[in-house]
Amino acid sequence: MRAPIGDFDHAVPAPECLDRLTEPVAAAVRAWQGAVPADQLLYVDTDPEIADTAVFVETHGRELLDRSANCVIVAGKRGKVTTLAACLVRSATRADVNGVVRKHLGARKVSFAPMDTATGESGMEYGGITPIGLPADWPVLVDAAVVDTAWVLVGSGRRRGKLIVPGKAFAQLPGAVVLEGLGVA
């Protein structure tokens, strides 16, 4: 089937191609419940060499910048306690780490998690991290603008491949908290 966004001629419901996903993402798709059916989570095969947002939208169309989201892993620290969390914001914005994220996590300091921590703890590849399949005890902070977007392109857990997901589905993820103003220009 043709994807609802982008120039992708071949989109496959994610439950039909679990072998193309990392194990945490595949497990989340298998266990998917909620208002958005799992077969609306679509997988498109993409070149891992162009997985980074800037190159990806140049290749597949600038309009995807407003229809794609980046998932970054942050580490919030308060005293000796470190909390890992995910932030999902539209690709044309950046996460307000020192404002909205720090306040929500109740942390003194928030920074981007080191790559080894982000990949090791999530079970996903750097450049392909997605909020689908993250550890259930992690907060998943989702910008309201992402939830309000009809279809959103996100990572698939690997650099190869992307998921196209109804924006409202991100609000139903384990640990999801929808926040106004999480993504800033």
Side-chain angles (χ1 to χ4, degrees):
M1 84 173 74
R2 180 148 177 75
I5 60 172
D7 64 354
F8 311 103
D9 290 327
H10 188 68
V12 180
E16 295 177 17
C17 59
L18 297 174
D19 60 321
R20 297 182 193 170
L21 307 172
T22 60
E23 182 47 39
V25 178
V29 170
R30 276 193 294 277
W32 191 264
Q33 297 179 24
V36 175
D39 65 357
Q40 286 189 18
L41 310 178
L42 304 175
Y43 175 86
V44 292
D45 190 42
T46 59
D47 181 350
E49 295 300 315
I50 61 165
D52 296 325
T53 302
V55 178
F56 193 87
V57 299
E58 283 301 320
T59 303
H60 290 286
R62 302 261 332 134
E63 72 281 355
L64 285 177
L65 196 57
D66 291 324
R67 295 179 176 180
S68 61
N70 290 329
C71 183
V72 296
I73 307 303
V74 297
K77 295 179 184 176
R78 184 166 195 84
K80 294 181 181 183
V81 177
T82 299
T83 302
L84 293 176
C87 299
L88 185 67
V89 297
R90 286 174 53 176
S91 295
T93 66
R94 61 178 178 76
D96 184 5
V97 173
N98 293 312
V100 174
V101 176
R102 188 177 62 77
K103 181 178 176 185
H104 182 79
L105 295 179
R108 284 203 176 270
K109 180 182 177 188
V110 177
S111 57
F112 294 104
M115 183 175 63
D116 291 349
T117 301
T119 57
E121 296 292 324
S122 70
M124 300 180 201
E125 295 177 3
Y126 187 74
I129 293 176
T130 182
I132 298 169
L134 290 173
D137 60 338
W138 286 16
V140 177
L141 310 181
V142 182
D143 188 75
V146 173
V147 175
D148 292 340
T149 303
W151 291 94
V152 180
L153 181 89
V154 294
S156 67
R158 296 191 177 185
R159 287 185 65 83
R160 167 166 233 114
K162 300 284 186 185
L163 295 175
I164 298 175
V165 179
K168 63 185 176 184
F170 296 110
Q172 75 183 47
L173 292 173
V177 178
V178 179
L179 298 171
E180 291 288 337
L182 176 62
V184 293

